[in-house]
mmCIF file of all heavy atoms in Angstrom:
data_model
loop_
_atom_site.group_PDB
_atom_site.id
_atom_site.type_symbol
_atom_site.label_atom_id
_atom_site.label_comp_id
_atom_site.label_asym_id
_atom_site.label_seq_id
_atom_site.Cartn_x
_atom_site.Cartn_y
_atom_site.Cartn_z
ATOM 1 N N ARG A 17 -63.805 -0.239 -23.844
ATOM 2 C CA ARG A 17 -63.670 -1.658 -23.491
ATOM 3 C C ARG A 17 -63.406 -1.816 -21.992
ATOM 4 O O ARG A 17 -63.971 -2.690 -21.330
ATOM 5 C CB ARG A 17 -62.538 -2.297 -24.296
ATOM 6 C CG ARG A 17 -62.520 -3.819 -24.120
ATOM 7 C CD ARG A 17 -61.216 -4.453 -24.521
ATOM 8 N NE ARG A 17 -61.330 -5.901 -24.412
ATOM 9 C CZ ARG A 17 -61.240 -6.591 -23.284
ATOM 10 N NH1 ARG A 17 -61.049 -5.955 -22.120
ATOM 11 N NH2 ARG A 17 -61.358 -7.901 -23.272
ATOM 12 N N ILE A 27 -67.394 -10.458 -23.232
ATOM 13 C CA ILE A 27 -67.647 -9.655 -24.433
ATOM 14 C C ILE A 27 -67.823 -10.554 -25.647
ATOM 15 O O ILE A 27 -67.042 -11.491 -25.858
ATOM 16 C CB ILE A 27 -66.463 -8.693 -24.704
ATOM 17 C CG1 ILE A 27 -66.366 -7.664 -23.585
ATOM 18 C CG2 ILE A 27 -66.617 -7.998 -26.056
ATOM 19 C CD1 ILE A 27 -65.362 -6.570 -23.879
ATOM 20 N N LEU A 29 -68.084 -10.173 -29.885
ATOM 21 C CA LEU A 29 -67.879 -9.254 -31.008
ATOM 22 C C LEU A 29 -68.590 -9.779 -32.251
ATOM 23 O O LEU A 29 -68.513 -10.974 -32.565
ATOM 24 C CB LEU A 29 -66.374 -9.124 -31.320
ATOM 25 C CG LEU A 29 -66.022 -8.341 -32.600
ATOM 26 C CD1 LEU A 29 -66.388 -6.860 -32.469
ATOM 27 C CD2 LEU A 29 -64.533 -8.490 -32.937
ATOM 28 N N ILE A 110 -51.102 -11.748 -43.370
ATOM 29 C CA ILE A 110 -51.343 -13.103 -42.870
ATOM 30 C C ILE A 110 -51.724 -13.933 -44.097
ATOM 31 O O ILE A 110 -52.530 -13.489 -44.922
ATOM 32 C CB ILE A 110 -52.480 -13.113 -41.832
ATOM 33 C CG1 ILE A 110 -52.051 -12.321 -40.582
ATOM 34 C CG2 ILE A 110 -52.865 -14.546 -41.455
ATOM 35 C CD1 ILE A 110 -53.116 -12.243 -39.498
ATOM 36 N N VAL A 132 -59.299 -10.731 -45.347
ATOM 37 C CA VAL A 132 -60.180 -11.081 -44.221
ATOM 38 C C VAL A 132 -59.336 -11.437 -43.001
ATOM 39 O O VAL A 132 -59.613 -10.998 -41.882
ATOM 40 C CB VAL A 132 -61.114 -12.258 -44.599
ATOM 41 C CG1 VAL A 132 -61.785 -12.850 -43.370
ATOM 42 C CG2 VAL A 132 -62.147 -11.803 -45.618
ATOM 43 N N ALA A 133 -58.292 -12.243 -43.217
ATOM 44 C CA ALA A 133 -57.475 -12.710 -42.091
ATOM 45 C C ALA A 133 -56.841 -11.531 -41.362
ATOM 46 O O ALA A 133 -56.887 -11.465 -40.124
ATOM 47 C CB ALA A 133 -56.401 -13.685 -42.585
ATOM 48 N N ILE A 134 -56.263 -10.592 -42.099
ATOM 49 C CA ILE A 134 -55.578 -9.488 -41.410
ATOM 50 C C ILE A 134 -56.589 -8.626 -40.661
ATOM 51 O O ILE A 134 -56.355 -8.228 -39.510
ATOM 52 C CB ILE A 134 -54.683 -8.657 -42.375
ATOM 53 C CG1 ILE A 134 -53.735 -7.761 -41.595
ATOM 54 C CG2 ILE A 134 -55.478 -7.820 -43.350
ATOM 55 C CD1 ILE A 134 -52.623 -8.456 -40.889
ATOM 56 N N VAL A 135 -57.743 -8.354 -41.265
ATOM 57 C CA VAL A 135 -58.676 -7.460 -40.567
ATOM 58 C C VAL A 135 -59.301 -8.165 -39.365
ATOM 59 O O VAL A 135 -59.467 -7.561 -38.298
ATOM 60 C CB VAL A 135 -59.752 -6.883 -41.524
ATOM 61 C CG1 VAL A 135 -60.881 -7.869 -41.788
ATOM 62 C CG2 VAL A 135 -60.324 -5.598 -40.950
ATOM 63 N N VAL A 136 -59.615 -9.450 -39.506
ATOM 64 C CA VAL A 136 -60.232 -10.157 -38.365
ATOM 65 C C VAL A 136 -59.211 -10.314 -37.242
ATOM 66 O O VAL A 136 -59.532 -10.115 -36.067
ATOM 67 C CB VAL A 136 -60.824 -11.517 -38.801
ATOM 68 C CG1 VAL A 136 -61.259 -12.336 -37.593
ATOM 69 C CG2 VAL A 136 -62.008 -11.302 -39.750
ATOM 70 N N ALA A 137 -57.957 -10.629 -37.589
ATOM 71 C CA ALA A 137 -56.926 -10.737 -36.542
ATOM 72 C C ALA A 137 -56.800 -9.404 -35.796
ATOM 73 O O ALA A 137 -56.750 -9.364 -34.564
ATOM 74 C CB ALA A 137 -55.589 -11.151 -37.153
ATOM 75 N N LYS A 138 -56.782 -8.304 -36.548
ATOM 76 C CA LYS A 138 -56.669 -6.988 -35.901
ATOM 77 C C LYS A 138 -57.888 -6.708 -35.016
ATOM 78 O O LYS A 138 -57.744 -6.255 -33.871
ATOM 79 C CB LYS A 138 -56.514 -5.882 -36.961
ATOM 80 C CG LYS A 138 -55.104 -5.811 -37.539
ATOM 81 C CD LYS A 138 -54.957 -4.658 -38.519
ATOM 82 C CE LYS A 138 -55.127 -3.305 -37.863
ATOM 83 N NZ LYS A 138 -53.856 -2.611 -37.593
ATOM 84 N N LEU A 139 -59.083 -6.969 -35.530
ATOM 85 C CA LEU A 139 -60.303 -6.704 -34.744
ATOM 86 C C LEU A 139 -60.301 -7.523 -33.453
ATOM 87 O O LEU A 139 -60.656 -7.024 -32.383
ATOM 88 C CB LEU A 139 -61.552 -7.014 -35.579
ATOM 89 C CG LEU A 139 -61.816 -6.061 -36.757
ATOM 90 C CD1 LEU A 139 -62.908 -6.626 -37.667
ATOM 91 C CD2 LEU A 139 -62.204 -4.664 -36.267
ATOM 92 N N LEU A 140 -59.872 -8.791 -33.554
ATOM 93 C CA LEU A 140 -59.874 -9.645 -32.354
ATOM 94 C C LEU A 140 -58.820 -9.172 -31.349
ATOM 95 O O LEU A 140 -59.043 -9.209 -30.140
ATOM 96 C CB LEU A 140 -59.654 -11.113 -32.732
ATOM 97 C CG LEU A 140 -60.765 -11.762 -33.581
ATOM 98 C CD1 LEU A 140 -60.434 -13.220 -33.890
ATOM 99 C CD2 LEU A 140 -62.128 -11.666 -32.906
ATOM 100 N N LEU A 141 -57.687 -8.697 -31.848
ATOM 101 C CA LEU A 141 -56.647 -8.201 -30.941
ATOM 102 C C LEU A 141 -57.026 -6.852 -30.338
ATOM 103 O O LEU A 141 -56.677 -6.545 -29.198
ATOM 104 C CB LEU A 141 -55.311 -8.103 -31.682
ATOM 105 C CG LEU A 141 -54.720 -9.461 -32.087
ATOM 106 C CD1 LEU A 141 -53.591 -9.293 -33.108
ATOM 107 C CD2 LEU A 141 -54.231 -10.228 -30.861
ATOM 108 N N GLN A 142 -57.752 -6.042 -31.089
ATOM 109 C CA GLN A 142 -58.164 -4.728 -30.584
ATOM 110 C C GLN A 142 -59.270 -4.864 -29.531
ATOM 111 O O GLN A 142 -59.232 -4.225 -28.484
ATOM 112 C CB GLN A 142 -58.702 -3.879 -31.750
ATOM 113 C CG GLN A 142 -57.628 -3.437 -32.719
ATOM 114 C CD GLN A 142 -58.223 -2.982 -34.060
ATOM 115 O OE1 GLN A 142 -59.368 -3.273 -34.389
ATOM 116 N NE2 GLN A 142 -57.410 -2.261 -34.834
ATOM 117 N N VAL A 143 -60.266 -5.712 -29.810
ATOM 118 C CA VAL A 143 -61.448 -5.805 -28.940
ATOM 119 C C VAL A 143 -61.273 -6.882 -27.864
ATOM 120 O O VAL A 143 -61.851 -6.809 -26.802
ATOM 121 C CB VAL A 143 -62.718 -6.072 -29.800
ATOM 122 C CG1 VAL A 143 -63.956 -6.246 -28.932
ATOM 123 C CG2 VAL A 143 -62.921 -4.939 -30.816
ATOM 124 N N ARG A 144 -60.432 -7.877 -28.148
ATOM 125 C CA ARG A 144 -60.185 -9.022 -27.251
ATOM 126 C C ARG A 144 -61.497 -9.613 -26.698
ATOM 127 O O ARG A 144 -61.677 -9.709 -25.477
ATOM 128 C CB ARG A 144 -59.224 -8.618 -26.135
ATOM 129 C CG ARG A 144 -57.791 -8.517 -26.662
ATOM 130 C CD ARG A 144 -56.787 -8.172 -25.585
ATOM 131 N NE ARG A 144 -56.939 -6.795 -25.141
ATOM 132 C CZ ARG A 144 -57.171 -6.396 -23.886
ATOM 133 N NH1 ARG A 144 -57.244 -7.290 -22.924
ATOM 134 N NH2 ARG A 144 -57.295 -5.131 -23.592
ATOM 135 N N PRO A 145 -62.397 -10.012 -27.599
ATOM 136 C CA PRO A 145 -63.670 -10.585 -27.129
ATOM 137 C C PRO A 145 -63.504 -12.020 -26.662
ATOM 138 O O PRO A 145 -62.570 -12.716 -27.081
ATOM 139 C CB PRO A 145 -64.540 -10.535 -28.388
ATOM 140 C CG PRO A 145 -63.561 -10.700 -29.508
ATOM 141 C CD PRO A 145 -62.288 -10.018 -29.060
ATOM 142 N N ASP A 146 -64.425 -12.477 -25.806
ATOM 143 C CA ASP A 146 -64.442 -13.893 -25.419
ATOM 144 C C ASP A 146 -64.941 -14.746 -26.571
ATOM 145 O O ASP A 146 -64.449 -15.850 -26.794
ATOM 146 C CB ASP A 146 -65.344 -14.069 -24.188
ATOM 147 C CG ASP A 146 -64.817 -13.261 -23.025
ATOM 148 O OD1 ASP A 146 -63.922 -13.766 -22.330
ATOM 149 O OD2 ASP A 146 -65.262 -12.103 -22.828
ATOM 150 N N VAL A 147 -65.976 -14.241 -27.259
ATOM 151 C CA VAL A 147 -66.490 -14.952 -28.440
ATOM 152 C C VAL A 147 -66.665 -13.950 -29.578
ATOM 153 O O VAL A 147 -66.862 -12.753 -29.346
ATOM 154 C CB VAL A 147 -67.856 -15.655 -28.177
ATOM 155 C CG1 VAL A 147 -67.764 -16.674 -27.069
ATOM 156 C CG2 VAL A 147 -68.938 -14.641 -27.882
ATOM 157 N N ALA A 148 -66.578 -14.469 -30.802
ATOM 158 C CA ALA A 148 -66.878 -13.649 -31.980
ATOM 159 C C ALA A 148 -67.822 -14.456 -32.863
ATOM 160 O O ALA A 148 -67.647 -15.666 -33.028
ATOM 161 C CB ALA A 148 -65.609 -13.279 -32.737
ATOM 162 N N PHE A 150 -69.672 -15.252 -36.436
ATOM 163 C CA PHE A 150 -69.558 -15.144 -37.898
ATOM 164 C C PHE A 150 -70.690 -15.932 -38.538
ATOM 165 O O PHE A 150 -71.032 -17.030 -38.077
ATOM 166 C CB PHE A 150 -68.209 -15.694 -38.375
ATOM 167 C CG PHE A 150 -67.056 -14.798 -38.023
ATOM 168 C CD1 PHE A 150 -66.473 -14.852 -36.766
ATOM 169 C CD2 PHE A 150 -66.573 -13.877 -38.945
ATOM 170 C CE1 PHE A 150 -65.430 -14.007 -36.431
ATOM 171 C CE2 PHE A 150 -65.526 -13.023 -38.615
ATOM 172 C CZ PHE A 150 -64.946 -13.092 -37.353
ATOM 173 N N VAL A 160 -62.141 -20.406 -42.309
ATOM 174 C CA VAL A 160 -60.817 -19.771 -42.330
ATOM 175 C C VAL A 160 -60.552 -19.049 -41.007
ATOM 176 O O VAL A 160 -59.485 -19.175 -40.403
ATOM 177 C CB VAL A 160 -60.713 -18.776 -43.516
ATOM 178 C CG1 VAL A 160 -59.447 -17.923 -43.428
ATOM 179 C CG2 VAL A 160 -60.766 -19.533 -44.846
ATOM 180 N N VAL A 161 -61.559 -18.312 -40.545
ATOM 181 C CA VAL A 161 -61.400 -17.533 -39.308
ATOM 182 C C VAL A 161 -61.271 -18.465 -38.107
ATOM 183 O O VAL A 161 -60.466 -18.223 -37.196
ATOM 184 C CB VAL A 161 -62.596 -16.562 -39.150
ATOM 185 C CG1 VAL A 161 -62.627 -15.959 -37.763
ATOM 186 C CG2 VAL A 161 -62.538 -15.472 -40.215
ATOM 187 N N THR A 162 -62.045 -19.544 -38.089
ATOM 188 C CA THR A 162 -61.975 -20.500 -36.985
ATOM 189 C C THR A 162 -60.569 -21.090 -36.900
ATOM 190 O O THR A 162 -59.964 -21.179 -35.825
ATOM 191 C CB THR A 162 -63.008 -21.638 -37.206
ATOM 192 O OG1 THR A 162 -64.304 -21.044 -37.305
ATOM 193 C CG2 THR A 162 -63.001 -22.632 -36.060
ATOM 194 N N ARG A 163 -60.048 -21.482 -38.046
ATOM 195 C CA ARG A 163 -58.695 -22.068 -38.111
ATOM 196 C C ARG A 163 -57.644 -21.055 -37.633
ATOM 197 O O ARG A 163 -56.770 -21.360 -36.835
ATOM 198 C CB ARG A 163 -58.443 -22.486 -39.572
ATOM 199 C CG ARG A 163 -57.178 -23.212 -39.866
ATOM 200 C CD ARG A 163 -57.207 -24.636 -39.346
ATOM 201 N NE ARG A 163 -56.387 -24.756 -38.169
ATOM 202 C CZ ARG A 163 -56.415 -25.778 -37.321
ATOM 203 N NH1 ARG A 163 -57.261 -26.774 -37.496
ATOM 204 N NH2 ARG A 163 -55.630 -25.819 -36.285
ATOM 205 N N MET A 164 -57.759 -19.819 -38.138
ATOM 206 C CA MET A 164 -56.757 -18.800 -37.796
ATOM 207 C C MET A 164 -56.770 -18.486 -36.302
ATOM 208 O O MET A 164 -55.705 -18.367 -35.672
ATOM 209 C CB MET A 164 -57.021 -17.521 -38.586
ATOM 210 C CG MET A 164 -56.054 -16.409 -38.215
ATOM 211 S SD MET A 164 -56.383 -14.852 -39.043
ATOM 212 C CE MET A 164 -57.880 -14.343 -38.202
ATOM 213 N N ALA A 165 -57.977 -18.352 -35.722
ATOM 214 C CA ALA A 165 -58.066 -18.004 -34.299
ATOM 215 C C ALA A 165 -57.403 -19.088 -33.456
ATOM 216 O O ALA A 165 -56.732 -18.797 -32.453
ATOM 217 C CB ALA A 165 -59.523 -17.812 -33.898
ATOM 218 N N ARG A 166 -57.563 -20.336 -33.896
ATOM 219 C CA ARG A 166 -56.924 -21.443 -33.186
ATOM 220 C C ARG A 166 -55.419 -21.435 -33.410
ATOM 221 O O ARG A 166 -54.637 -21.535 -32.481
ATOM 222 C CB ARG A 166 -57.500 -22.764 -33.697
ATOM 223 C CG ARG A 166 -58.177 -23.571 -32.615
ATOM 224 C CD ARG A 166 -58.612 -24.911 -33.166
ATOM 225 N NE ARG A 166 -60.042 -24.941 -33.360
ATOM 226 C CZ ARG A 166 -60.673 -25.622 -34.303
ATOM 227 N NH1 ARG A 166 -59.998 -26.321 -35.209
ATOM 228 N NH2 ARG A 166 -61.967 -25.616 -34.375
ATOM 229 N N ASP A 167 -55.018 -21.304 -34.645
ATOM 230 C CA ASP A 167 -53.592 -21.382 -34.987
ATOM 231 C C ASP A 167 -52.781 -20.278 -34.316
ATOM 232 O O ASP A 167 -51.625 -20.481 -33.940
ATOM 233 C CB ASP A 167 -53.395 -21.289 -36.506
ATOM 234 C CG ASP A 167 -53.878 -22.548 -37.225
ATOM 235 O OD1 ASP A 167 -54.212 -23.537 -36.543
ATOM 236 O OD2 ASP A 167 -53.923 -22.531 -38.478
ATOM 237 N N LEU A 168 -53.380 -19.079 -34.195
ATOM 238 C CA LEU A 168 -52.633 -17.942 -33.645
ATOM 239 C C LEU A 168 -52.928 -17.715 -32.160
ATOM 240 O O LEU A 168 -52.502 -16.701 -31.603
ATOM 241 C CB LEU A 168 -52.953 -16.661 -34.440
ATOM 242 C CG LEU A 168 -52.589 -16.677 -35.932
ATOM 243 C CD1 LEU A 168 -52.887 -15.324 -36.571
ATOM 244 C CD2 LEU A 168 -51.118 -17.035 -36.134
ATOM 245 N N ASP A 169 -53.642 -18.662 -31.517
ATOM 246 C CA ASP A 169 -53.971 -18.516 -30.091
ATOM 247 C C ASP A 169 -54.552 -17.147 -29.777
ATOM 248 O O ASP A 169 -54.118 -16.469 -28.840
ATOM 249 C CB ASP A 169 -52.727 -18.763 -29.211
ATOM 250 C CG ASP A 169 -52.126 -20.134 -29.480
ATOM 251 O OD1 ASP A 169 -52.896 -21.096 -29.626
ATOM 252 O OD2 ASP A 169 -50.887 -20.230 -29.567
ATOM 253 N N LEU A 170 -55.533 -16.730 -30.579
ATOM 254 C CA LEU A 170 -56.068 -15.380 -30.407
ATOM 255 C C LEU A 170 -56.951 -15.257 -29.168
ATOM 256 O O LEU A 170 -57.297 -14.153 -28.755
ATOM 257 C CB LEU A 170 -56.826 -14.944 -31.662
ATOM 258 C CG LEU A 170 -55.909 -14.739 -32.888
ATOM 259 C CD1 LEU A 170 -56.740 -14.383 -34.126
ATOM 260 C CD2 LEU A 170 -54.866 -13.661 -32.631
ATOM 261 N N GLY A 171 -57.328 -16.399 -28.572
ATOM 262 C CA GLY A 171 -58.034 -16.342 -27.289
ATOM 263 C C GLY A 171 -59.515 -16.024 -27.419
ATOM 264 O O GLY A 171 -60.170 -15.695 -26.434
ATOM 265 N N THR A 172 -60.045 -16.090 -28.620
ATOM 266 C CA THR A 172 -61.481 -15.851 -28.846
ATOM 267 C C THR A 172 -62.099 -17.115 -29.408
ATOM 268 O O THR A 172 -61.537 -17.727 -30.318
ATOM 269 C CB THR A 172 -61.681 -14.693 -29.852
ATOM 270 O OG1 THR A 172 -61.177 -13.492 -29.291
ATOM 271 C CG2 THR A 172 -63.158 -14.521 -30.196
ATOM 272 N N LYS A 173 -63.265 -17.480 -28.865
ATOM 273 C CA LYS A 173 -63.983 -18.622 -29.429
ATOM 274 C C LYS A 173 -64.811 -18.130 -30.615
ATOM 275 O O LYS A 173 -65.579 -17.184 -30.496
ATOM 276 C CB LYS A 173 -64.903 -19.230 -28.359
ATOM 277 C CG LYS A 173 -65.672 -20.429 -28.864
ATOM 278 C CD LYS A 173 -66.509 -21.071 -27.771
ATOM 279 C CE LYS A 173 -67.438 -22.133 -28.327
ATOM 280 N NZ LYS A 173 -66.789 -23.107 -29.204
ATOM 281 N N ILE A 174 -64.636 -18.771 -31.750
ATOM 282 C CA ILE A 174 -65.391 -18.396 -32.957
ATOM 283 C C ILE A 174 -66.680 -19.219 -33.008
ATOM 284 O O ILE A 174 -66.645 -20.446 -32.913
ATOM 285 C CB ILE A 174 -64.561 -18.643 -34.240
ATOM 286 C CG1 ILE A 174 -63.193 -17.936 -34.151
ATOM 287 C CG2 ILE A 174 -65.352 -18.203 -35.475
ATOM 288 C CD1 ILE A 174 -63.251 -16.434 -33.998
#
Side-chain angles (χ1 to χ4, degrees):
R17 189 198 184 280
I27 294 188
L29 172 67
I110 295 179
V132 166
I134 194 71
V135 80
V136 171
K138 283 183 64 101
L139 291 169
L140 295 180
L141 292 166
Q142 290 162 343
V143 177
R144 285 182 289 123
D146 299 276
V147 300
F150 288 83
V160 170
V161 168
T162 302
R163 185 73 254 165
M164 177 184 72
R166 240 185 254 148
D167 289 352
L168 299 183
D169 303 318
L170 292 177
T172 296
K173 181 176 171 50
I174 306 299

